[in-house]
Amino acid sequence: MREDLATALADLQEEAAVRIVRERLDGGENPLSILADARRGMETVGRRFASCEYFLPDLVYSGEILKQVSEMVRPRISQGLKTERLGKVVMGTVEGDIHDIGKDIVTFMLDVNGFEVFDIGVDAPPDKFVDKIRETGATVVGMSGLLTLAFDSMKATVDAIAEAGLRDQVRIMIGGPQVDEQVRKYAGADAYGQDAMAGVALARQWTGVQ
Amino acid sequence: MEKRPEEQIKERVQRVEAAVALKVPDRVPLVLSFGLFPAKYGGISCEDAFYDPVRWGAALKKAVSDFAPDMYEGVRMVPGPVLEALDCKQVKWPGHGAPSDHSHQFVEGEYMKADEYSALLDDPTDYALRVYMPRVYGSLEGLRTLRSLRSWLFGYMVAPQAALFTRPEVTGALEALIEAGHRASRWRAGIRTLEKDMAEAGFPQFTVSSTYAPFDIISDTLRGMRGTMLDMYRQPDKLIEACERLLPVLIETGVGIAKHVGNPRVFIPLHRGADGFMSVKQYETFYWPTFKRLLLALCDQGLTPCPFFEGDYTSRLEYLRELPKGKVLCHFDRTDLVKAKEVLGDHLCVMGNVPASLLQLGSPQEVREYCQKLVDRVGKGGGFIMAPGCVIDEARPENVKAMCDFTREYGVYA
């Protein structure tokens, strides 16, 4: 019986996952179907994270295994993998704050849940958010920040999005260890998320995904 | 009649110590970890605070006198001039990669590589000197070219190896260290004056000594968060061994300074063991064993560990019951204090947790309401200290004042 790549990935079996991919590539299999299986495995990882069966270390490790799989498969792919995406999200850590852990977790979870995420990095000024929304036509914006200085940057970014005439096009969520309803109100965001799963739930709700 | 400063200090220290010992003090004690709040409050920039001990000292003094907490905590400042002399890559500080009016920020990274555990375990000092320091400090890159100093154990025969120290890259590094040392000494002199002034004004400092949980040191400053998490899968034994290896070093660090300055409280900021960062099982395997032994060792020395549980620690509260009763001060950030009191109330003192968001964006009335809830529900029966949840860099002064005044008035035990 052929071992299942999706299961190996979901169970964080690094060696097995790499071996299976190698065997399937050597067997001349279509690389796109390998990636599709890997994607299914990652969806399971996402579900387990959401149900608190997995935690951050498991998420990081799964990402590392996926990276290896992708690196093995990519050279064999002539055109990009086209997957149905649920919606576009612009994600970034706001100006003045260089912390990326929270942003990366939300980005990861949105991605495995089927969203196309445009990650504009850390210390991202308001203009960068605005430009990315324009460029991609994203309808959801996520702002992250660890420090209390981020409250003002979040507000400034929401204001800049409004000034650019894009406020009606997007729903905005914010997150971070010190972020709560008070900060949401102050910043003028539509919602705040307590954790990555809250972010996914908001994005799903806002893009009309059941 | 105004009390003499030494009487005030005694009274304030007793108030806090009573709470730690789970007794009922005259009123709920108040501890302020200011962070960089005093800078803005005193009209200087954060950059000034990082570069000018005199102006920073004056600002901190003003904040402490105005808000009059039972104990104060300034920011644990690594002065800008010292970081500059060493060309530190691990932190951005105001005016140097971080905005002039904001706090410093840590630069997350894999400062120790995955295959370097053996080198660390084998000889931590050698690893620090020749691998780690050159990586973290640009000015110390030359130390890379040194050979291990272990051969100096062979006695006089190896004296000619001193030639290694004459290489320009090495002399450059040594000069940078000396310069950084001079700058640090000047800074420390300024801070000592400040502490003396504060003591003369009747205000004791919350903690001077600090140390860290072994896992946090590896995750924060050595392997980085990502690296450490991968190690939990790929080389768990090495990771645990490194925690064990660093434990005595971290005990020594905490005990040494506390005994030297005669302040028994030891600050332990905790980062990567909080809820969300790992499962309870992972916590039990990688984090808790050496962290617990650190706390026990400090208690054994007659010291009071003051762990600061940043983030949410709700799912780990039960573990803290394994610590000696009335000997540890637990400062919580986002943990539900009512729940913490339920689990720990008869065992350990609970401190916290007025949210930074509330102090920065709320109104004085909202702050008072929050504090009232804390006093009523967590302060009941003693063993509670009022404090902000985390540092209050950007707080509104009127909100901080509301928190302090309210605690002093409403927090009185009948």
Side-chain angles (χ1 to χ4, degrees), chain B residues 254-265:
Chain B
V255 171
I257 300 167
K259 297 239 157 153
H260 178 69
V261 299
N263 177 334
R265 289 169 300 279

Side-chain angles (χ1 to χ4, degrees), chain A residues 14 58 64 96 98 180 182, chain B residues 105 226 233-234 334 357 362:
Chain A
E14 181 174 19
D58 318 297
E64 185 66 19
I98 60 168
D180 53 20
Q182 191 135 32
Chain B
Q105 299 184 43
R226 192 179 152 279
Y233 276 98
R234 289 178 174 161
R334 284 281 173 173
S357 54

Side-chain angles (χ1 to χ4, degrees), chain A residues 55-102:
Chain A
F55 284 80
L56 207 41
D58 318 297
L59 216 58
V60 167
Y61 189 43
S62 74
E64 185 66 19
I65 303 173
L66 179 69
K67 203 174 99 196
Q68 285 183 67
V69 170
S70 306
E71 276 164 13
M72 290 166 72
V73 175
R74 292 239 180 264
R76 314 271 187 112
I77 299 176
S78 43
Q79 87 256 31
L81 177 64
K82 285 202 184 66
T83 42
E84 276 298 309
R85 292 299 189 153
L86 302 176
K88 293 178 178 175
V89 184
V90 170
M91 273 295 304
T93 302
V94 293
E95 185 164 36
D97 197 321
I98 60 168
H99 296 89
D100 60 5
I101 294 171

